[in-house]
Amino acid sequence: MISDPITHRNRTLAALHVARRLLFSSLPSLSPRLLDRYGFVPPPSLRPHNRNPSSGHQAEANNDNKKKKTKVPYRPPSSLDRAGQEPAHSDLPFDFRFSYTESSPNVKPIGLREPKYSPFGPGRLDRIWTGFSAPAVDPTVRSVDGDGPETVDLEKAKQMRTKILGKPLSPAERAFLVEKYQKNRTKRQVNLGRRDGLTHNMLNDIHNNWKNAEAVRIKCLGVPTVDMENVCTQLEEKTGGSIIHRHGGQILLYRGRRYNAKKRPRIPLMLWKPHEPIYPRLIKTVIEGLTIGETKEMRKRGLAVPALTKLAKNGYYASLVPMVRDAFLTDELVRIDCKGLEKSDYKKIGAKLRDLVPCVLVTFEKEQIVAWRGNKYNRSTHPSSEERSFTQVTESGICAENCSLDSCSSSVDQISDLNTNDEDTASSAS
């Protein structure tokens, strides 16, 4: 009786073993170990004898169709396709140029280095690009009288600027703003480029700073600092603000009492830097008034003259013009050492010296600026910096004396008027 259940169990195990062998023969791809552990039975779609060949071909065809789809080509922002957008319009009353401090509208170029492609992008601005500027008034449009092109109403722009600035700041308000926007108080600052100076896109940066601050600090270094008066003038004219503090190359530009960031002028941005046009040569083959031999001899002597100063790269050059003027009082030739500076940088410095001193440029060889004071130099018309400061002090003293005399005379007149009024009242009372 004990052997009967054992034999029954063995028969059962043998039957299970045979069934497993039959299952493995129909599914050769399945592992017996997987069936032992998990009892996994594959769905009918995964069995080899149930696969449909037509469905496989359809899947491959669908994959091929997916691969054939191409990406949409990239369109840059300055694409010719503006999608019906109108060109931008700006009410600013001045001509748009890449740099306002390093280019002058009075100096006309003699040629262009590239076609007249607008740096604002094709069709993005309603102003014509002439190759170096975008005039506020189309030069091809004539006025109603037919005399010439239309002009911009500058008087209206001045009135608007005066209205935005409002009442002038008091000394206490000015001192408060100067202290508030010092370097140790805030990091908000706009750097005026050492080569390009005040650029067009920098105007937008200044207005963006004025959204959250009453004034913005501007740091000036490099070539533009040779003529700081021009930098200050261009900043006030192009932005509409007012300079309330200046120390060396640090300028504090105030936005005005009635400035509204929501009504700020629209300033279209330049998408790239245009190539500079071609200007006349700074150094002539033969200096005017001299012969070829005298010109060569002067260039040799100029390079042998002791250097007046050595310019540091990306430095502050505001004192360069008075130094050259003072040197011309005793010396005929002046040499400035520019080693380490870019060739374009010391050429721009030489052009500024030629116009501000004024002087005649002799050569730029060996990274040097050699200037000649000219044959028609007159010392009386070019006083030294000490003489100019002395005349300013004396003029201020004379003005102060005149003001004091005027105040004394006015006070005497007031006292005499009071005495006459007292006499009249006494006589009427009697």
Side-chain angles (χ1 to χ4, degrees):
M1 293 180 67
I2 298 174
S3 61
D4 291 337
I6 295 175
T7 55
H8 180 71
R9 185 182 300 174
N10 292 336
R11 291 175 184 174
T12 306
L13 292 174
L16 288 173
H17 187 65
V18 171
R20 286 180 180 179
R21 282 177 176 263
L22 292 174
L23 183 61
F24 297 154
S25 62
S26 62
L27 300 173
S29 61
L30 297 177
S31 172
R33 191 175 181 184
L34 185 66
L35 290 174
D36 292 339
R37 290 190 176 185
Y38 303 104
F40 174 75
V41 178
S45 61
L46 296 180
R47 296 178 183 179
H49 60 275
N50 289 333
R51 287 185 179 178
N52 188 2
S54 61
S55 63
H57 290 299
Q58 290 179 358
E60 292 178 359
N62 293 333
N63 292 333
D64 294 340
N65 293 332
K66 290 180 180 179
K67 292 180 180 178
K68 289 180 181 178
K69 290 182 179 180
T70 57
K71 295 177 65 176
V72 179
Y74 171 71
R75 291 186 177 182
S78 60
S79 174
L80 294 175
D81 185 12
R82 295 282 295 163
Q85 299 180 10
E86 295 183 357
H89 175 74
S90 179
D91 295 329
L92 294 173
F94 52 86
D95 299 349
F96 291 162
R97 302 196 304 273
F98 176 73
S99 177
Y100 296 106
T101 56
E102 304 309 303
S103 61
S104 175
N106 300 325
V107 181
K108 301 298 181 183
I110 60 176
L112 301 176
R113 302 182 190 273
E114 63 177 357
K116 297 179 181 179
Y117 294 138
S118 175
F120 297 96
R124 296 175 64 88
L125 185 66
D126 60 351
R127 296 191 183 189
I128 296 177
W129 181 255
T130 62
F132 52 91
S133 67
V137 177
D138 191 350
T140 60
V141 178
R142 299 289 176 177
S143 62
V144 179
D145 301 332
D147 299 333
E150 296 181 354
T151 57
V152 181
D153 190 3
L154 298 177
E155 195 64 31
K156 183 178 179 181
K158 290 181 181 179
Q159 293 177 0
M160 183 61 67
R161 178 176 179 269
T162 306
K163 182 179 179 182
I164 292 174
L165 289 176
K167 185 181 177 181
L169 295 175
S170 64
E173 292 174 334
R174 189 186 298 267
F176 172 77
L177 289 176
V178 170
E179 182 64 24
K180 182 179 179 181
Y181 295 101
Q182 287 296 324
K183 192 174 182 179
N184 58 348
R185 293 294 186 91
T186 178
K187 294 183 179 180
R188 191 185 298 274
Q189 178 176 291
V190 176
N191 296 321
L192 198 140
R194 66 182 181 90
R195 288 186 183 178
D196 301 326
L198 178 63
T199 59
H200 178 77
N201 289 356
M202 198 177 294
L203 304 180
N204 189 59
D205 296 340
I206 292 173
H207 281 279
N208 288 340
N209 279 275
W210 278 347
K211 285 182 180 179
N212 304 315
E214 293 182 271
V216 58
R217 188 176 67 251
I218 301 174
K219 186 178 181 180
C220 308
L221 288 176
V223 179
T225 58
V226 176
D227 190 5
M228 284 299 296
E229 293 183 3
N230 181 40
V231 172
C232 297
T233 303
Q234 294 295 333
L235 277 172
E236 290 186 341
E237 289 182 356
K238 300 303 184 288
T239 61
S242 176
I243 295 176
I244 59 175
H245 177 71
R246 174 188 160 192
H247 179 71
Q250 299 281 349
I251 294 175
L252 195 62
L253 190 63
Y254 177 60
R255 67 182 183 181
R257 293 182 183 272
R258 301 177 182 177
Y259 179 83
N260 188 358
K262 296 181 179 179
K263 297 180 180 180
R264 53 176 285 185
R266 185 173 184 180
I267 304 174
L269 299 179
M270 287 190 177
L271 303 181
W272 63 83
K273 177 182 177 179
H275 287 282
E276 293 184 0
I278 302 172
Y279 291 99
R281 294 185 61 182
L282 295 174
I283 305 296
K284 297 182 180 180
T285 306
V286 181
I287 298 175
E288 186 177 356
L290 301 179
T291 62
I292 298 177
E294 292 175 344
T295 302
K296 291 182 178 179
E297 183 64 26
M298 181 172 290
R299 284 172 182 161
K300 289 182 181 179
R301 288 193 296 114
L303 293 173
V305 169
L308 176 66
T309 182
K310 186 181 186 306
L311 300 182
K313 189 175 181 179
N314 200 19
Y316 179 69
Y317 312 135
S319 61
L320 186 61
V321 173
M323 285 176 64
V324 174
R325 286 176 179 169
D326 293 346
F328 278 152
L329 297 176
T330 56
D331 299 327
E332 185 182 11
L333 292 171
V334 169
R335 180 172 69 90
I336 301 171
D337 190 359
C338 302
K339 288 184 179 179
L341 273 69
E342 297 289 339
K343 189 175 182 180
S344 59
D345 290 355
Y346 60 76
K347 280 190 173 183
K348 290 180 180 178
I349 293 173
K352 290 177 180 291
L353 291 176
R354 180 196 61 181
D355 299 332
L356 297 174
V357 173
C359 60
V360 180
L361 297 176
V362 178
T363 183
F364 287 130
E365 294 179 1
K366 299 180 180 179
E367 298 183 352
Q368 309 291 319
I369 299 176
V370 179
W372 179 45
R373 65 184 183 183
N375 286 326
K376 300 180 181 179
Y377 180 80
N378 188 2
R379 181 173 180 177
S380 60
T381 59
H382 299 86
S384 64
S385 57
E386 294 180 357
E387 292 175 354
R388 285 195 299 272
S389 60
F390 178 75
T391 53
Q392 291 176 358
V393 170
T394 53
E395 288 177 358
S396 61
I398 292 171
C399 291
E401 290 179 359
N402 292 335
C403 292
S404 61
L405 291 174
D406 294 338
S407 60
C408 291
S409 60
S410 61
S411 60
V412 169
D413 294 338
Q414 291 176 0
I415 293 171
S416 61
D417 293 339
L418 290 174
N419 293 332
T420 54
N421 291 331
D422 293 338
E423 292 176 357
D424 292 338
T425 52
S427 60
S428 60
S430 60

